Amino acid sequence: MSDVFQAVKVTDNVYWVGAIDWAVRDFHGYSTGRGTTYNAYLILADKVTLVDTVKAPFKDELLARIASVVEPGKIDYIISNHAEMDHSGCLPEVIKTVRPEKVFASAMGAKALGEHFHMNEPVTPVKDGENLSLGNLNVTFVETRMCHWPDSMVTYLHEDELLFSQDAFGMHLASSERFADEIDEAVLETEAAKYYANILLPLSSFVAKTLDKAGGLGVPFSIIAPDHGPIWRKEPEKIIESYARWAVQKRTNKAVVVYDTMWGSTAMMARAIGEGLVAGGAVVKLMPMGSAHRSDVATEMLDAGALLVGSPTMNNALFPTMADVLTYLKGLRPKGLIGTAFGSFGWSGEAVKHILVYLKDMEVELVGEPVKAKYVPDAAAMLSCRRLGEELAERIRKACDG
Ligand code: FEO
């Protein structure tokens, strides 16, 4: 297999030995339209070291890529930066195959690996800031709790100024290219933003702390090698700057109108609101949940200033797709939004009330009077929707100007 699956050289000391998942389209609720990669890295030091593994079904691909550089049994150390199973899924099998001298993880990582795999092989916990000699090369471990899980840490290879950053600075993007500078910048921007919005947004305060901590290390970062997507070997500061911008959730003059419709009435209202928003000078995204995916809504919310939510009432409740997207957005905890609710109904009309509960839970500042329309909105209701859009547009413009 090693003559089929080859490692890719990153530096004289480091090889990419991960797996490309061209097929995955759902990553725990996140729509991965471009697939993903599970990156693992081999450090060819005196102590041959594997950094992370891959999702369980890709174990043979990992071992084959390793074997294209070095016989897997020669691996001395395995470092597990993150216990989530897209990086640790085949760790027990790899340990059985490789029989490494030691496996390292953060203290919480060692515990999490034990709780996942109930394996007998010991994992050596390392401390935040701990150094490890690989013989001729040296690494330092830095805990990055909650980026992405409590166990998360990153590993810095001093001699190559290379940061193995696990989930941070990654993206779900399957590609034949291994380096970001080989890929269209627009694709990188879109997928990196989508990854941040769907994975790291609720952990933004931890991201900000991690960025401060990384800055405080006083070491240069020439290469950032994440566990998903391409490696940043040119201008890695660009992705760090993007993270700094996303972590503060800076709002723009963009309004996202998220809705679904039963017989077209709530869609009519959404379009009228959209017209009002445009007339008021906002950038507008209408996202009908019959065709939009929740993770694309989350991506649009990364820099939006307003969230407007519409739902018909169905069985006294929200339309199911709206309950789905609101539950998802609430979990991502976007900050600093204004918003409102609207929707059509036949007789009881509770959907707007349910939406407002979600918006209040998300600490969205409510603006304007929510619009409800019975059965099919008449001209007056459509005008009310347009006026509501205009009012929201004025408020986000003022917020952005302020
Ligand atoms: Fe890519 Fe949190 O795992």
Side-chain angles (χ1 to χ4, degrees):
M1 289 276 273
S2 60
D3 47 358
V4 176
F5 294 101
Q6 302 274 305
V8 176
K9 188 173 181 177
V10 180
T11 70
D12 285 346
N13 301 312
V14 176
Y15 283 78
W16 174 87
V17 289
I20 307 172
D21 189 345
W22 295 95
V24 65
R25 289 293 180 270
D26 186 316
F27 193 97
H28 57 48
Y30 172 155
S31 156
T32 47
R34 288 185 166 111
T36 195
T37 65
Y38 313 109
N39 297 337
Y41 301 94
L42 192 66
I43 307 175
L44 293 180
D46 292 343
K47 291 286 188 187
V48 177
T49 301
L50 177 65
V51 181
D52 286 320
T53 64
V54 297
K55 196 171 170 181
F58 295 88
K59 179 201 71 178
D60 291 344
E61 185 172 337
L62 168 77
L63 290 172
R65 291 193 199 278
I66 293 169
S68 74
V69 181
V70 67
E71 199 274 302
K74 293 199 183 316
I75 290 173
D76 298 291
Y77 294 159
I78 298 176
I79 295 168
S80 171
N81 277 330
H82 181 23
E84 193 164 7
M85 285 194 282
D86 46 338
H87 312 298
S88 67
C90 68
L91 179 63
E93 288 299 313
V94 171
I95 291 172
K96 281 194 187 106
T97 304
V98 167
R99 296 280 166 208
E101 191 180 318
K102 284 192 169 180
V103 178
F104 299 98
S106 69
M108 294 185 89
K111 189 163 180 282
L113 290 171
E115 289 164 348
H116 273 82
F117 302 112
H118 315 290
M119 54 192 188
N120 297 321
E121 294 82 357
V123 176
T124 304
V126 295
K127 293 193 178 70
D128 185 30
E130 187 170 328
N131 299 311
L132 176 71
S133 169
L134 309 180
N136 59 327
L137 303 177
N138 297 278
V139 295
T140 298
F141 305 110
V142 180
E143 281 188 358
T144 55
R145 285 188 189 183
M146 299 314 297
C147 290
H148 165 222
W149 276 9
D151 63 277
S152 293
M153 69 174 191
V154 297
T155 300
Y156 182 72
L157 176 61
H158 289 266
E159 287 75 9
D160 287 348
E161 300 178 352
L162 188 155
L163 183 72
F164 298 105
S165 63
Q166 47 96 23
D167 278 345
F169 310 120
M171 67 187 75
H172 287 313
L173 175 62
S175 61
S176 52
E177 301 80 12
R178 294 278 64 78
F179 299 96
D181 52 272
E182 301 169 321
I183 296 171
D184 187 314
E185 276 192 34
V187 173
L188 296 176
E189 173 73 18
T190 301
E191 294 302 336
K194 183 172 185 179
Y195 188 88
Y196 188 95
N198 284 275
I199 302 286
L200 293 169
L201 187 70
L203 311 168
S204 285
S205 63
F206 296 96
V207 172
K209 276 185 204 153
T210 299
L211 292 171
D212 284 349
K213 201 168 170 180
L217 288 175
V219 292
F221 299 110
S222 295
I223 302 173
I224 295 179
D227 273 358
H228 296 291
I231 297 159
W232 306 91
R233 66 178 172 185
K234 288 188 182 165
E235 300 180 299
E237 62 278 4
K238 277 192 178 173
I239 186 66
I240 295 174
E241 285 162 13
S242 294
Y243 266 52
R245 189 173 72 249
W246 294 328
V248 296
Q249 299 193 45
K250 185 165 170 45
R251 297 296 164 198
T252 66
N253 188 28
K254 179 168 89 178
V256 180
V257 184
V258 187
Y259 65 97
D260 210 338
T261 199
M262 196 184 304
W263 290 104
S265 294
T266 304
M268 287 171 66
M269 299 172 78
R271 292 167 71 90
I273 288 171
E275 289 295 308
L277 285 160
V278 171
V283 174
V284 182
K285 301 281 180 184
L286 259 65
M287 306 202 78
M289 294 315 297
S291 52
H293 193 275
R294 67 176 88 83
S295 53
D296 292 320
V297 175
T299 309
E300 291 295 346
M301 293 310 304
L302 187 56
D303 62 352
L307 171 64
L308 298 91
V309 182
S311 175
T313 297
M314 185 180 196
N315 301 325
N316 309 106
L318 288 168
F319 204 66
T321 51
M322 297 312 300
D324 177 300
V325 70
L326 283 167
T327 302
Y328 191 74
L329 290 178
K330 183 180 157 185
L332 293 173
R333 299 198 286 280
K335 302 266 185 273
L337 293 165
I338 64 169
T340 193
F342 62 95
S344 67
F345 66 101
W347 49 97
S348 55
E350 291 92 342
V352 163
K353 180 181 75 182
H354 293 309
I355 293 168
L356 292 174
V357 170
Y358 274 100
L359 295 182
K360 284 176 187 163
D361 284 350
M362 292 164 66
E363 299 179 351
V364 174
E365 181 189 346
L366 299 177
V367 171
E369 193 58 36
V371 181
K372 290 169 71 173
K374 191 162 187 188
Y375 289 122
V376 177
D378 59 11
M382 290 291 277
L383 191 57
S384 295
C385 288
R386 181 180 166 107
R387 296 273 182 264
L388 185 61
E390 290 169 351
E391 189 178 351
L392 269 286
E394 190 180 342
R395 283 293 298 273
I396 45 172
R397 197 177 62 243
K398 279 183 184 164
C400 290
D401 289 347

